Amino acid sequence: MHAHNTQQEWEDYRQRELRAAIPILEKLGFELESEQPHTGGERFLMAGARDVGGGGYKLVLLGTRRADGKRVVIKISSDKEGIREICTERKARETLQTLKFAYQMLRAPEEVLYATHGAHIIFITAYVEQEQAFLSRPIAEQFSLALQAFKAQESVHATAYSHARAIRTVFGIWGVQEYLDSFDAFCAAAAGNDSQDRALAQSLAKARAFIVEHRDTIEQYCGFLTHADFVPHNLRVHEGNVYLLDSASLHFGNKYEGWARFLNFMLLYNRPLERTLLQYVHDNRTPEEELSLRLIRIYKLGKLLEYHTGALSKTAGNLNTLSKKRVEFWREVLESLIDDRPLSQEVITRYQRERDSLRSVEEKKRQEALH
Amino acid sequence: MRIVLATPLYPPEIAEPGPYIKELAKRLVKLHKVTIVAYARLPEKVPGVHIVAVDKRQPLLRRLISFFFALLHAAREADIIYAMNGASVELPVALLSLFMSRPLIIRIGDTAAHERARSGWLRSIERSAFARAHRVITDGPAPRPEILPFEAFPAEKLGAYERSWEEHLRMLEDLFTHARS
């Protein structure tokens, strides 16, 4: 019943918001494309699921500007939290352009329109065409593009009093205590979502103890600009340049948070790239940095486990079975990281097979559009 | 020799002269007693090197005063002070010279800070520090080449990097010895 409610709630919101959005967008000179891959599939599970940048109901739509046929990405919301997230993203983009202590400029899609219309907030940016999807590029190119984006983020390091003053109100500034508090919240939520899973509770307790043991190493590399959700669907590549999407996920935190999210993702989607990036860190960075990356990967897995245990009560049928498989799989990944041993490829392949057989057609379509 | 390295930037800060100072300390500590006074909070450690960190997150005046006293304390037993340019270090080293006489060498490793000191009060601070220095140098070793997974191992570049450090250290040893005599 609860599963049905969550999905139905999203469906109702989507229909309501779309009905209201279409005339507003028309008045502003935009029309929607017939295919809207970002509103379907498992999207209903994601509202409020962010650890950085807020999170609420909003629609991400693809459209065109009538005047010149320019393709655009439209974010629209009338939901309080959704509005807050869109505002945060806009402020983050604006502030980034003014940071005097940034050594490199981060690229973001051009802003086309930012407006409020009644209860709605609308934020429209140019759609960055890419010659090829990130994951279908040769691995050497994926490596070099990812590294380019990581280095651009790392070049923004807020260390001085004046830096902190300039960014505190726009971006969050996270130190080890914020990461620990957040991890504790993941653990509590995961325990609440699935109180029967003792193995998960034990793994999370082990992970927390490991993070606490090395808290100084996390703190040491804090103060850097990092994209908390740095995955292929949040970056676009055009003419060799990386454009970062979803600026609401940018904050000042551990230098390796973006790396950690990316590597956890690549463990599943492109393992050779994950191994290559790890080798790069090993060869070129300090041992403390290598440990910091491992710690933040563990932290990020806490978030992922919270998310997937949260899906258990919101889903039914195949998606519910898939959520259970996801919890099992990511718990195994967590254990392997704590023990600092590579996860067996067999575990990954088995999970991928199960996932593909349980995913809905609509979700498969959404995934294709994302990556 | 007892050497004090004074720097506005130090790893985990990635901008120069941070990585240079860490690498220099690693190499100097094999033969000398090395202390680093740096604006940092949780600096990366170097075995055998004493690091005094002055928290940059304090308001400007407070951190300048903290750095001055940290430098004063470290310099008491030092034979030489090797400072990196930048107003936040230049001002304390210039003030220090009023209280004690220690040979001072300044290296311009942060060219952007040097550019900013072309006019105004930053210029006065830089001039005042440079006037008290035994020598102001710009020399530095080659940057460390990266080992990249899809490229050949940069053996030649790493060799050149090592040689540039050996040459740089020889130059510094001569300079330090000369400054003390």
Side-chain angles (χ1 to χ4, degrees), chain A residues 103 139-140 143 147 151 154-155 157 159-161 216 219-221 224 255 276 280 283-284 286 288-289, chain B residues 9 12-15 22 41-45 55-60 63 144-150:
Chain A
Y103 302 121
I139 184 173
F143 169 82
L147 189 61
K151 284 185 174 176
E154 289 167 8
S155 75
H157 189 192
T159 49
Y161 182 74
D216 279 357
E219 183 69 25
Q220 194 168 27
Y221 296 97
F224 287 88
K255 179 178 177 175
T276 305
Y280 170 85
D283 289 340
N284 296 284
T286 64
E288 296 102 303
E289 287 184 84
Chain B
L9 297 167
E13 195 72 75
I14 53 174
K22 188 183 173 193
R41 192 153 157 269
L42 287 165
E44 287 178 6
K45 293 186 173 88
D55 195 345
K56 250 188 176 180
R57 298 184 309 176
Q58 304 175 78
L60 178 66
R63 66 177 187 259
R144 189 180 188 278
E146 277 198 320
I147 300 167
L148 293 168
F150 298 100

Side-chain angles (χ1 to χ4, degrees), chain A residues 30-308:
Chain A
F30 297 89
E31 57 193 36
L32 296 181
E33 292 183 2
S34 53
E35 289 278 310
Q36 294 296 340
H38 301 300
T39 60
E42 293 173 25
R43 181 64 185 81
F44 74 96
L45 290 172
M46 285 160 203
R50 304 160 67 103
D51 52 345
V52 166
Y57 277 178
K58 68 168 189 295
L59 291 183
V60 180
L61 305 165
L62 298 178
T64 47
R65 184 162 62 187
R66 268 205 308 272
D68 54 4
K70 187 184 181 83
R71 264 193 110 185
V72 292
V73 177
I74 301 159
K75 290 184 182 175
I76 185 165
S77 182
S78 59
D79 171 75
K80 193 179 156 200
E81 288 305 307
I83 289 173
R84 200 159 68 103
E85 185 190 316
I86 293 174
C87 288
T88 304
E89 173 162 18
R90 172 96 187 314
K91 271 189 211 153
R93 285 168 54 101
E94 279 185 327
T95 310
L96 272 181
Q97 307 304 315
T98 63
L99 293 181
K100 285 182 188 154
F101 51 94
Y103 302 121
Q104 286 181 38
M105 198 53 89
L106 287 158
R107 287 173 200 272
E110 168 210 351
E111 179 176 321
V112 175
L113 181 96
Y114 180 71
T116 50
H117 197 282
H120 286 83
I121 196 155
I122 307 123
F123 185 36
I124 304 179
T125 53
Y127 178 87
V128 180
E129 295 288 351
Q130 45 183 12
E131 304 81 16
Q132 214 177 347
F134 185 85
L135 285 170
S136 54
R137 290 169 189 269
I139 184 173
E141 199 185 340
Q142 289 184 41
F143 169 82
S144 119
L145 290 167
L147 189 61
Q148 176 193 328
F150 290 135
K151 284 185 174 176
Q153 290 168 60
E154 289 167 8
S155 75
V156 191
H157 189 192
T159 49
Y161 182 74
S162 56
H163 298 166
R165 244 187 351 188
I167 59 176
R168 181 161 284 131
T169 51
V170 180
F171 302 96
I173 304 181
W174 282 35
V176 67
Q177 197 52 52
E178 284 74 16
Y179 283 107
L180 261 174
D181 291 347
S182 177
F183 194 80
D184 285 343
F186 301 156
C187 295
N193 293 333
D194 189 0
S195 55
Q196 304 301 312
D197 195 340
R198 286 211 173 158
L200 176 63
Q202 277 170 5
S203 297
L204 287 170
K206 200 169 148 189
R208 189 188 188 279
F210 187 66
I211 291 173
V212 169
E213 187 188 345
H214 298 286
R215 56 180 300 149
D216 279 357
T217 308
I218 293 183
E219 183 69 25
Q220 194 168 27
Y221 296 97
C222 282
F224 287 88
L225 185 72
T226 187
H227 194 291
D229 196 17
F230 188 78
V231 280
H233 57 259
N234 275 332
L235 57 95
R236 309 279 297 174
V237 182
H238 181 66
E239 292 177 352
N241 295 313
V242 180
Y243 290 78
L244 281 183
L245 312 183
D246 186 16
S247 302
S249 288
L250 284 167
H251 75 147
F252 282 80
N254 187 282
K255 179 178 177 175
Y256 287 99
E257 191 173 343
W259 283 80
R261 174 75 174 103
F262 192 74
L263 291 183
N264 287 345
F265 178 92
M266 287 304 165
L267 174 108
L268 197 53
Y269 287 88
N270 186 351
R271 192 128 199 243
L273 181 60
E274 183 226 15
R275 306 314 298 172
T276 305
L277 284 161
L278 285 172
Q279 189 60 45
Y280 170 85
V281 172
H282 181 76
D283 289 340
N284 296 284
R285 308 263 166 121
T286 64
E288 296 102 303
E289 287 184 84
E290 213 175 345
L291 175 60
S292 190
L293 170 58
R294 197 169 128 223
L295 287 159
I296 297 294
R297 286 187 76 178
I298 289 170
Y299 162 80
K300 290 301 249 187
L301 288 178
K303 172 68 201 163
L304 210 53
L305 283 161
E306 182 218 3
Y307 174 75
H308 290 310

